[in-house]
Each structure stands twice: as structure tokens, then as C-alpha cells.
Amino acid sequence: MTLGSALIAAPPTRAAAESVDVVIDGDDVRGDNRNGLPYKGLGVLSCNSTSNLLMDYKAQHPGRYWQLVRVLFGGKRPLINHVKVEMGSDTNTSTGADPATMRTPDEFADASRSPGFQLAADAKTVNPELKVSILRWEMPAWVQKEWDNGSGDDEMYKWYKETILDAYEKYGYMFDYVDPDKNETRNPDEAFIKRYKNAMVTDKDFANPRYGIPAGQREKAGKAYRDIRIIASDENDTHHIGPSVLSDRELFGIVDAVGYHYNTEDRREGNVDSDTYLPYTKLATGENKHRADKEVWYSEGVASFGYTDYRVNNTEGPNGSSTGIGGVQSALDLANRSVKSYANSKRTHYVFQPAIGSFYEGAQYSHKELVSARDPWSGHLHYDASLYVMQHLTQFAKTGWENDSNTAGIWRTVPEASYSGVSGTVDLDGSNGAPSYMTLADPRKKDFSTVVVNDSDQPRTYRLRAENMRLGDTAMEIWETRAADKGQAYDANFKRLVDEIRPGGDGHYVYTVKPRSIATLTTLDRSDDPETRQRLPRSGERTVLDTDASGKQHNTRDRLLYADDFGYEEEGKVRVGTANGTRQVSQDYLKARGNQPRYMVDQTGAWEVGKDARGNNVLYQHMDQSMKDTHAWNKNAPNTTVGDFRWENYRATADVSFPDREGGLAALGVRHQKGMAISDAAYNVRIGADGAWTFYEYGKAIETGTVAASDGYRLAIEARGAAITAFVDGKPVHTYEDPTPQTAGRVKFGSGFHKTAFDNLKVEKIDGYTPYTDVQLDNMDHAVTYEGGWSRKASFGDAMDWYRSTSTSTAPGASITVPFKGTGIDVIGGNDGSAVLDVHIDGVLVAKDVKTATTDKRLATYALRGLPDGKHEARLVLKSGKLVVDALHAVSGDVDGTVDTGPIRRALAEVGTPQQDDHTAGSWRVFAQASAAAKTALSGQKGLDVLGAEHIASRLEAAYVQLAR
């Protein structure tokens, strides 16, 4: 049987039902296979706004940013050795919009607008061998128009070429791979791939002043440009390019690598000799009619869903046990994807979309990453445990791309010693206990490593035997990652050397892999290697965005939450990797980031800082009618988001103007939590150049009106509790009392498809109101405890649930206990309003038979305010109904100004002085506590705000009504 067909047709021989035999035969280590079998490791895709906040990390916390670069891309054995950049078109193709490098055919390309280009440049400073690739999804309107007419080849080529050369001119690297086809196509455009390659290899024009390449560098640039390799075709759900490359000799000569997304399987159609039967295996192994091997990539795949820190507390295992670091969409699922995609379709490279989540939560596909980087003002970075899991694939081998002379020593994958029987093709489930392992070997046959994934609840014994290898010391180290045992620290068992074994008398290394773990069995000696033993950095504190007037310096004592005049005089120089990673240069803040504004994540539109008629910096939205795209995946009017999801009571103000003579519309929104349109801001006001304004609750028009037409206006929205007031030029135009208010969220700007200007953003605290909740606890945080019947789910979690997990109960008497610091707590989650609760604070029943609200995800189904500022413990007992807990928010005690305590005084007067002897002991205890809390609050309670006073009064009135004689 041929190598390709034998490996997928039959699983490895098993010595017994509970053990797996694996033979690592040196004759199977194909050192002559230079493209298909070398293990290239892992890559990261930057696209769709997923990297938008990274440049803010670099500017605000450069130490943390460069540490991130070293962790992901640095070291002798890098975790990630490829940055894939998807060119943006100012439209939303997934989680948001990446800026177009060329918005018109005459505009000079500017790669610095999009953070992926600079991330690659910075990564090259710690790994000069890093590969960089580029592709497109949608395209700028000027390209799209001609493309739709069937005559856009030249425009497409121009956009690609000028973008590639601009990155070369700015950062000194030439792209290694280009995919000329559309991302996630189902019908590869093979004709254009050929035309593009022909245009590229025959291109001699590098002297055009548009490219900015000095005369002395043009020859070198031209050669590097013509040497760019072709990858095709980044398909999703289809497997067309493999058979096409095999059957078309010209295409076979053009395409250097093939890749497809979100599927571990090869294609199996026709007889074993046909081009449609295991085409990707045939390409990788070289066992094809062309007798040459090609690279095969898993060119886009997910990272871990949610935080492994939290999801280990799930109840999805047998009898309500935890699945640890495993389960569907877990860290072990990721490892199985790499193993199975190699075993079944010979893919030796896996590209994460994304590896770094550097966009605001609430956009599509939130919490699907290896590193979370969403608070650049605090420097908080969360390194997920899945990084340790993936290091099992990269730190016990030499990974990367083999060189032309085949002397780099990149380890080869060994097909005969690799197999995966776990279920699924996209989201993988290893609970069936089937073997799942991949072997990598030194091409000189001196060492090997076998990575074993056991995502089941039963141990699995492996028996490894080395034949025809040139091993020196036969000792084998066992490195393991699994969840903590009871009483251990969370990361106690992450990537630890747990054993050293030698072959027995029969030549077998025998090791039993623990349930829900990954183990690397390696003949390498890594026991004293500092890099292998290195721990991931700690996350750091996730502080709320609360600055001074500069918008840069953290300051909780003034009246501002945030401000941005878009001048950035307060910002210093920024270090940027250049000269193909050989040095760093200091650049002006705005120049370094292509004039992109601070802390803003674009959903749609071309948002960029520029000069107004007076020479002052303002924020422009540039996408006008001529640039309007009709092919975006998420079709929304231009909008961008800024701020902290924990902001609650605040006033947002901005100046807007309309430089486009054809018209325009400007919008300001507050309390935005999720979604990708201006209508996803809970409350927003929109105004046109004619003075017509409309106030919205989400996308529903609540009130309309008109002010005098003007070239510009000052818009403001003040959100205090349930009362929302919109202002135009300082005058209130509408106040809305929301019976079911959205209580927290960020600020949004929006516009129509006209050039529109925004300036002088200011977010201010409101006297007497707490401005934010300052701590979020996930429902699966280790500090949160549960009693009674709870289902705690993480697999297949919704992106609109924080960290994709929820805890749900319908069991009367079930409880949740939460320690927190502050003046109150909110219970967040999508609920039907059926839950009735008893609420205990610090062991005292403070509210009995409390009704919850019907809420969408990320809203508070129950809120308790008005506690003395300090440490507390809340215990919520479910009396009846169904309660879904997603997260818990602790309310800050930071309150400025005077607080109206009138509601408390009125409540005390209304309840009067009932007598204890007239009432049952249980009902009196609740009333007495509420009465005492009300009187204490009147005497001057630290941290009390208006909402707290209202809650204290409401609890007193409820306790009075519940008094039982």
C-alpha cells in the first residue's frame, strides 16, 4: 500500500484493549521530504479588528507588549513562527473592520494602519526566521467595482503589490507567501491565481516613486518580491484546491502550499489513484504523479474558547464531574485538532484565528484566543493555559520551514507513528477514549518526540518502540499538562516533567497517560532547560479605564473617566521593528500607527485622525458614498467603540461636524455591551447637518426633533440609573426613563456613508452616582462557590456570555456564594425572570422572595446596592424558577458630590414604627436589618450613591410589606 492510503485506512496495532502500540521506525523519517512533512508549528492570523488594541498596549505598556512578543514568537523554539495578515477593506468581515491600506487607486498604500503588519515586524525582532503571509477577504470599493465588472485583475494586483511593497519599505521584510484568492472561498479562482503568479514573476517595475524604494534597494526588493510563494486557497467547507493542484500540472508548478479551514479531514472520493482521493495526503507525502511534495496547512482554525482558568470548574464530565482542561472547544481540543488534522490530512501547520484577542468583548467571536489583550490602559494580559498545551507540540522538536539546501534540521512528522480516532471534524470530542498522538523526529534520526492527547475520563497506556533510530541515551522524559488536583494551585500541573523512563526488555517504552491530559514523550533532555521550564507571565490587575484630562494617566480622583482630543501631545515615541527584524526605531505616536485613534475598535468604516481646516487634529470617518462596499459580511453603517464595559453612570460628550458637502449623519451612543452596529449602543442620539435629531433605545426611535441647522454640534448623553438624557449644544432635548435599563457599557461613535468629523470626546462622572463596577467575577471563578443542583457549562458556549460559560439551576434551595469588595453586586446573565431569590449579605438575610428581571445576555437580572463600602460575602438562594448566572459585578464605592437620601427618609416615614412583638421572628429580622441599614445610611455611609439610597429604601419597603403577624 502507498504511504498516503495506508496511514488513514488503518489505525495502529494495539497490544491490548487498554494499550496502544506505536513503532517509531527510522526508515519512516523522510529527511528528503522538504516541504510536506517538516513540522512548521503554529501561526497567528491578524484580521477583522482582532488586533486593534495591540498598538495601544505597545504605547501605554511597552514592557508588557514586548514581553508578549517574546512569549509568543521568541526563544530557541518559538511557539508561533508565522504571522498571517488579512488585508482590510474598512468593512466588517467578522469581528470588526481592519483599515484598507488603499482607499482609492491614487492613495499611497499605508500598511501601518493595520496592526498585523507591525506585529509581524516586531515579531521578527525576536525571530528573524518568522514567516509572513498575506491574503484578502473583501476589497476596497475601487477594486470591487472593477472586479464585479470582470475586469479587475490589474486593480487587484496593484492593491496587493503596493501593500506588500509598503510593508517592505516601512518594516524591511518581504512577504513569504501570498494567497491571491478570496478568503474562505468555496470555488477557488484558479485562473486568477495563475495570472497573479505570472504578473508577479515577470514584474520588473520597482522604481515607481509610489513604492518609496531607494534606488540601491530596488534590485534586492524585486528579487524578493518575485520569490514570494503562492498559497491557495483558504477554502472553508470545501476541498477543491487539492485535486485541482494534482490534476493541473501548471497549477502544481505555481502553488507552493495549500490550505483550508475548520476541518481536520482529507477528501475521499473516487478510487485510491484518483486526484480526489486523499489529495492533501498525496500532496504532503509527495506520493503523487508529480513526485514532489507540497506544504499543507490548517490555514485558519480556532483557539481555546473562553478561559481555561474558569472552564475547569465545569460539570460536563461523568456524574457532574469536571472535564479539567479538556472537553469540546477546550485546550485539549486544540491539541487534538493539530494531531487529527495531521493524522487525517497531513497538515503540518495550524494558524489561529486569532491567537491574540485584542478587541473589545461583545463583538462576534469574543473569547476565542490564546492571549486576551483587551485593556491597554491597565496592561492586563491573560495568558491562557492552552499555551502550555500547544507548547507540547513546539518545544520538544525543532519546528519551522526547511531551507533550500535541506540543512536546517527541521523535525519531520512521522505519518506511520501518528493517529487520531477522536470524534468530530471541527469541534473535536476525545471522550470516546480513542488514541490520539503525533510523532516528530529529528531528520538525522537521533531523537524523537511523541505527543499524546487523552481527552477522556480513563487512563490510556502507550507502548512506544524505536527501530532503526540512532538514539544516544535511551532515556525518555515525560512532560505533562493537566488540571490541578484538589488543593493544588491552578497551574500546578501545567507542562511539568513528571517521569523519566527507559525501554523494557522487549524494547518498549511504556507509559500510562492520565485522563484529561496531554503528554509529550521525548528522548530529548529538557530537564534543566530554562526555556522549557519557563512559566507564563501573570495577568496583572484589570483596572477600570479612569484617567485624567489627557486620557493617558490613570486618575480616580478627578471628575473624568476618559478624554480624547485626538492631538496626542501627551503620547511619547513608539518603538517599531524594522530592517527585517534586525533593529528597532522610535517613531512618532500617530505615524507609527497610521493615524489610528487611541483605544478605538472599529466595527465598520474608515476611522482615522487628520487635520481640520484650522490645522487641529480631529477624528474623521472617511468612508463616503464612493467607498461604500456592498459585499461586507456584517453590513452596518460606520461605527467605532471606545471605553470600558464596566462604565455605568456617566455623561459622554463629543463635537461633530460634516465636511462632506453631500450630507452626513453623526451618532453618539452610551452603554454599549455587545453587537457591532451603532444601534447596539443601548442609548444613542443621531443628528444630521440639517439639525434633525433622533433619540434611540438600541435601534428603536423613541423621540425626534429639530434644532437649527449648523456645520457642527456638540452631542451629549447622560446616563444616570434608568434616566437617560440627550443634549444638543448643551441643551437637553429628551429624557427617557427606561423600565428595564441597560446599566453599563462603552461609548460608540457612528456616521452615515459620508466623511464625518468627531472631536473632544469627554466621558465624565455624575455627581452622586457610582461611575462603574470595578471587579468582574465569572460564574466559574474559583472564588465563587455553589451548593445544590447546578449545571455549569463551558462547551459550545455562546460568545455573548462572558468567557462562554454559564451556571444554571432550577433546584429550589440551590445557592451561589460570592465574596466581593464594594457597595453592591450585580448578577449578570440572560434570564427569563422566573427566578425568585433570598439574598444574604455577610450571613444576614437582607432581602426575601426577591423577583429577578427578564434580561438579555450581559444584563443584570438582579442588582443589590447600598451596602457600606468594604468586603462582603453575598449568598443567593434560589427559591423557585430558573436562574442563569454568567458573571457577577462588584460595584465601586467611588462616589463624587452630594447624594440625595430623600428616598430613604421617605421610606422610614412610610413604614413608621411597627412593634416587634406583633410579628413573627423571621419576618422581623429582615425588617429590623433593613431599618437599621436605612438609619445607618442617613448618618453618612461611605460609598453611598443615589442608586444605593433607592435600593435601601426599596428593601425597607419590601421588608415592611413582608412583615407577618
Side-chain angles (χ1 to χ4, degrees):
M1 298 178 73
T2 66
L3 170 65
S5 58
L7 282 176
I8 301 210
T13 303
R14 302 184 193 176
E18 71 277 6
S19 65
V20 181
D21 273 12
V22 182
V23 176
I24 297 89
D25 189 336
D27 292 343
D28 296 331
V29 181
R30 289 163 173 76
D32 58 339
N33 183 305
R34 191 171 58 82
N35 302 302
L37 296 183
Y39 189 62
K40 298 155 198 71
L42 308 173
V44 55
L45 173 58
S46 177
C47 63
N48 321 128
S49 85
T50 57
S51 302
N52 267 29
L53 297 172
L54 268 185
M55 296 302 103
D56 294 306
Y57 272 89
K58 178 191 275 197
Q60 307 306 322
H61 292 273
R64 294 286 278 167
Y65 172 82
W66 288 103
Q67 181 185 54
L68 170 69
V69 169
R70 291 192 298 272
V71 168
L72 294 184
F73 305 102
K76 293 180 291 184
R77 295 172 294 279
L79 176 72
I80 294 174
N81 50 30
H82 169 207
V83 174
K84 177 179 176 181
V85 181
E86 186 178 294
M87 291 191 293
S89 58
D90 298 317
T91 62
N92 190 319
T93 50
S94 186
T95 52
D98 255 33
T101 56
M102 295 175 66
R103 293 180 174 131
T104 68
D106 297 326
E107 183 183 34
F108 284 9
D110 188 355
S112 64
R113 288 173 178 163
S114 183
F117 295 93
Q118 193 168 147
L119 176 64
D122 293 341
K124 275 185 167 287
T125 65
V126 297
N127 178 12
E129 301 302 315
L130 180 101
K131 300 296 183 184
V132 190
S133 68
I134 192 169
L135 82 164
R136 63 182 171 91
W137 194 335
E138 299 305 341
M139 58 195 86
W142 63 274
V143 181
Q144 187 76 63
K145 180 180 178 181
E146 298 303 324
W147 192 260
D148 288 347
N149 290 332
S151 57
D153 284 14
D154 291 344
E155 286 77 10
M156 184 71 75
Y157 183 76
K158 174 186 174 77
W159 178 39
Y160 265 99
K161 178 183 178 181
E162 296 198 14
T163 298
I164 291 169
L165 293 183
D166 186 67
Y168 179 80
E169 187 271 329
K170 282 185 169 73
Y171 306 119
Y173 64 78
M174 186 61 72
F175 278 87
D176 298 283
Y177 293 86
V178 61
D179 182 354
D181 206 353
K182 180 178 179 176
N183 178 58
E184 298 207 337
T185 179
R186 287 182 171 84
N187 298 290
D189 192 341
E190 295 157 13
F192 180 68
I193 293 171
K194 293 176 181 178
R195 293 195 297 273
Y196 184 95
K197 175 67 173 182
N198 181 66
M200 191 171 67
V201 298
T202 59
D203 198 334
K204 304 294 185 183
D205 176 21
F206 296 92
N208 191 318
R210 291 181 58 85
Y211 309 150
I213 301 176
Q217 297 179 19
R218 289 169 190 164
E219 183 177 350
K220 179 182 177 182
K223 182 182 185 308
Y225 180 80
R226 289 186 290 272
D227 285 344
I228 294 175
R229 297 182 176 187
I230 297 292
I231 177 171
S233 59
D234 281 285
E235 294 174 69
N236 189 19
D237 298 332
T238 56
H239 299 78
H240 296 315
I241 196 66
S244 294
V245 170
L246 285 172
S247 61
D248 184 333
R249 182 170 294 277
E250 181 186 5
L251 194 62
F252 189 92
I254 285 173
V255 173
D256 301 282
V258 294
Y260 55 104
H261 302 176
Y262 304 115
N263 194 316
T264 58
E265 302 307 295
D266 209 325
R267 184 171 173 176
R268 301 189 190 193
E269 296 174 12
N271 61 57
V272 295
D273 295 325
S274 69
D275 293 332
T276 54
Y277 188 80
L278 301 183
Y280 298 94
T281 297
K282 291 173 180 174
L283 285 168
T285 60
E287 295 190 357
N288 53 63
K289 58 193 172 189
H290 306 286
R291 299 197 178 279
D293 55 283
K294 298 286 185 181
E295 299 178 34
V296 184
W297 297 1
Y298 199 127
S299 53
E300 181 179 322
V302 299
S304 181
F305 284 74
Y307 280 16
T308 302
D309 315 35
Y310 298 147
R311 67 174 290 147
V312 296
N313 294 318
N314 68 70
T315 59
E316 296 174 303
N319 302 313
S321 62
S322 168
T323 60
I325 63 169
V328 179
Q329 298 181 336
S330 68
L332 292 185
D333 181 344
L334 290 193
N336 269 328
R337 291 172 200 240
S338 289
V339 171
K340 189 172 183 179
S341 65
Y342 174 71
N344 286 17
S345 49
K346 301 301 168 290
R347 284 185 279 180
T348 55
H349 187 44
Y350 188 103
V351 181
F352 290 105
Q353 203 292 88
I356 310 168
S358 201
F359 60 98
Y360 292 134
E361 304 99 327
Q364 192 165 250
Y365 304 129
S366 297
H367 294 300
K368 185 190 72 170
E369 63 262 346
L370 304 178
V371 181
S372 180
R374 294 186 161 91
D375 285 11
W377 48 86
S378 69
H380 172 91
L381 290 166
H382 176 264
Y383 293 87
D384 193 79
S386 52
L387 286 162
Y388 287 116
V389 169
M390 300 315 293
Q391 284 174 347
H392 279 266
L393 298 164
T394 62
Q395 286 200 334
F396 303 94
K398 185 174 183 180
T399 67
W401 276 256
E402 188 53 82
N403 60 28
D404 292 340
S405 59
N406 201 11
T407 57
I410 304 301
W411 282 31
R412 276 19 177 205
T413 52
V414 185
E416 294 84 353
S418 304
Y419 173 78
S420 181
V422 301
S423 62
T425 60
V426 180
D427 297 312
L428 303 188
D429 184 356
S431 62
N432 62 5
S436 187
Y437 57 92
M438 179 170 66
T439 299
L440 311 175
D442 175 4
R444 299 169 298 175
K445 308 178 184 182
K446 292 184 176 181
D447 282 294
F448 71 91
S449 298
T450 299
V451 182
V452 180
V453 188
N454 182 11
D455 194 5
S456 77
D457 296 295
Q458 299 298 318
R460 168 68 74 176
T461 298
Y462 280 77
R463 291 162 30 95
L464 275 58
R465 180 182 177 89
E467 298 179 356
N468 301 315
M469 298 289 287
R470 296 195 290 270
L471 303 179
D473 186 355
T474 59
M476 173 175 280
E477 293 180 355
I478 313 296
W479 291 78
E480 174 190 81
T481 294
R482 59 186 177 89
D485 296 325
K486 188 174 181 179
Q488 288 184 318
Y490 160 71
D491 60 350
N493 298 324
F494 291 166
K495 205 182 63 174
R496 299 292 186 184
L497 177 61
V498 294
D499 206 349
E500 184 175 293
I501 61 177
R502 292 183 181 274
D506 60 356
H508 285 92
Y509 298 92
V510 181
Y511 186 75
T512 300
V513 181
K514 294 182 179 66
R516 304 292 183 182
S517 72
I518 182 172
T520 298
L521 289 63
T522 181
T523 59
L524 294 170
D525 182 2
R526 291 281 190 262
S527 58
D528 295 321
D529 179 52
E531 187 173 309
T532 306
R533 290 188 172 275
Q534 179 67 44
R535 300 289 89 188
L536 293 172
R538 296 296 180 183
S539 297
E541 185 180 1
R542 194 174 188 189
T543 55
V544 179
L545 177 57
D546 187 351
T547 74
D548 61 13
S550 72
K552 182 177 178 65
Q553 300 300 323
H554 186 65
N555 185 350
T556 61
R557 296 182 179 275
D558 63 8
R559 308 301 296 274
L560 281 168
L561 283 176
Y562 183 62
D564 194 345
D565 64 3
F566 306 104
Y568 302 123
E569 291 84 359
E570 67 280 356
E571 297 288 353
K573 300 285 187 179
V574 177
R575 286 188 296 148
V576 178
T578 187
N580 198 28
T582 59
R583 61 190 179 94
Q584 295 179 12
V585 298
S586 293
Q587 292 186 351
D588 175 76
Y589 177 83
L590 276 174
K591 178 183 178 182
R593 55 197 290 131
N595 295 307
Q596 300 302 291
R598 182 176 55 200
Y599 296 164
M600 289 194 169
V601 176
D602 301 344
Q603 300 304 314
T604 300
W607 299 87
E608 191 168 300
V609 176
K611 300 292 185 183
D612 65 10
R614 294 172 296 178
N616 297 321
N617 280 8
V618 299
L619 176 64
Y620 287 111
Q621 193 295 114
H622 287 280
M623 183 178 277
D624 59 19
Q625 294 295 312
S626 70
M627 302 175 191
K628 185 177 179 180
D629 173 74
T630 58
H631 293 258
W633 184 8
N634 298 301
K635 296 180 176 65
N636 291 312
N639 70 99
T640 189
T641 308
V642 64
D644 199 306
F645 72 89
R646 294 164 290 192
W647 285 350
E648 287 200 344
N649 301 292
Y650 60 89
R651 177 178 175 134
T653 306
D655 295 333
V656 301
S657 57
F658 309 97
D660 191 333
R661 292 183 177 275
E662 295 185 11
L665 178 76
L668 174 67
V670 298
R671 291 183 177 172
H672 168 255
Q673 280 285 359
K674 60 188 179 72
M676 300 181 292
I678 185 60
S679 58
D680 291 311
Y683 313 103
N684 55 92
V685 63
R686 311 175 200 180
I687 195 167
D690 59 359
W693 59 265
T694 305
F695 176 82
Y696 290 83
E697 180 190 11
Y698 293 106
K700 179 183 178 181
I702 301 297
E703 188 63 68
T704 61
T706 304
V707 297
S710 175
D711 291 336
Y713 305 94
R714 173 161 292 180
L715 296 182
I717 302 181
E718 187 173 274
R720 53 172 81 202
I724 317 298
T725 303
F727 300 81
V728 178
D729 291 335
K731 296 178 180 179
V733 294
H734 183 68
T735 296
Y736 175 61
E737 289 284 342
D738 191 345
T740 56
Q742 162 67 289
T743 58
R746 303 180 176 94
V747 170
K748 260 193 179 292
F749 285 163
S751 76
F753 287 98
H754 294 87
K755 184 177 180 180
T756 309
F758 297 78
D759 201 5
N760 299 317
L761 169 65
K762 189 180 293 185
V763 185
E764 300 170 280
K765 301 174 185 178
I766 299 174
D767 277 355
Y769 286 81
T770 299
Y772 43 70
T773 60
D774 54 2
V775 174
Q776 179 188 74
L777 289 174
D778 190 67
N779 71 94
M780 290 195 183
D781 191 282
H782 296 279
V784 182
T785 57
Y786 294 82
E787 293 181 359
W790 288 87
S791 172
R792 308 180 68 193
K793 299 292 187 182
S795 297
F796 298 109
D798 191 323
M800 293 304 103
D801 290 321
W802 288 101
Y803 309 111
R804 294 180 177 257
S805 67
T806 54
S807 295
T808 304
S809 183
T810 57
S815 68
I816 175 174
T817 301
V818 187
F820 68 95
K821 182 180 180 182
T823 62
I825 192 164
D826 293 348
V827 181
I828 308 297
N831 277 273
D832 61 11
S834 65
V836 177
L837 309 173
D838 280 354
V839 181
H840 303 255
I841 298 295
D842 302 326
V844 177
L845 179 63
V846 300
K848 184 176 175 60
D849 295 331
V850 175
K851 293 182 179 180
T852 55
T854 301
T855 49
D856 197 358
K857 294 175 184 291
R858 302 208 176 201
L859 292 179
T861 189
Y862 173 71
L864 182 138
R865 306 292 175 94
L867 301 177
D869 191 15
K871 292 182 178 180
H872 300 283
E873 182 179 84
R875 181 169 175 260
L876 311 174
V877 181
L878 180 63
K879 301 290 289 295
S880 61
K882 175 184 177 182
L883 179 64
V884 179
V885 181
D886 177 15
L888 302 117
H889 290 179
V891 181
S892 166
D894 176 14
V895 183
D896 295 323
T898 58
V899 177
D900 179 10
T901 57
I904 300 176
R905 292 192 299 272
R906 288 190 291 272
L908 284 168
E910 289 171 5
V911 302
T913 55
Q915 298 302 304
Q916 179 176 355
D917 292 346
D918 294 338
H919 302 93
T920 63
S923 66
W924 182 260
R925 279 195 297 270
V926 177
F927 174 79
Q929 190 281 331
S931 178
K935 292 171 183 176
T936 299
L938 287 180
S939 65
Q941 179 173 295
K942 181 182 177 183
L944 182 68
D945 78 334
V946 172
L947 297 181
E950 293 173 354
H951 277 231
I952 290 170
S954 178
R955 287 198 295 275
L956 176 59
E957 291 165 351
Y960 177 73
V961 170
Q962 291 172 341
L963 277 173
R965 286 189 171 274

